[in-house]
Amino acid sequence: MNLTDSCPRCCRRGITPTTSRTRGNRIVHGYRCPCGHQWATARDLTAYSELHARRAQRPNRKAA
Ligand SMILES: [Zn+2]
């Protein structure tokens, strides 16, 4: 499992998460770059696809 991320500010790679938090089916990792920038990345635990920032809203629910 590769949990490292790239800094969106200085593009440094391989930043390891400093915090991790599970919320429902997602895990949110907090990162802190040596440049001082901090951010969080949410990942879907079910599909384990990386969800960076925005994601198009999908109508997952069917009106029953
Ligand atoms: Zn940085």
Side-chain angles (χ1 to χ4, degrees):
M1 228 185 266
N2 182 18
L3 297 178
T4 58
D5 203 358
S6 304
C7 177
R9 183 174 164 192
C10 71
C11 294
R12 181 191 291 260
R13 293 184 181 182
I15 308 295
T16 53
T18 56
T19 62
S20 65
R21 209 174 278 182
T22 307
R23 302 191 73 174
N25 287 335
R26 291 183 181 182
I27 187 165
V28 180
H29 288 102
Y31 295 87
R32 186 175 183 180
C33 181
C35 78
H37 190 64
Q38 295 183 50
W39 72 99
T41 300
R43 290 178 172 90
D44 197 324
L45 286 176
T46 53
Y48 204 75
S49 57
E50 293 196 2
L51 303 173
H52 284 280
R54 297 172 221 139
R55 183 181 183 186
Q57 291 183 353
R58 290 185 191 173
N60 280 333
R61 294 182 185 175
K62 294 179 182 177

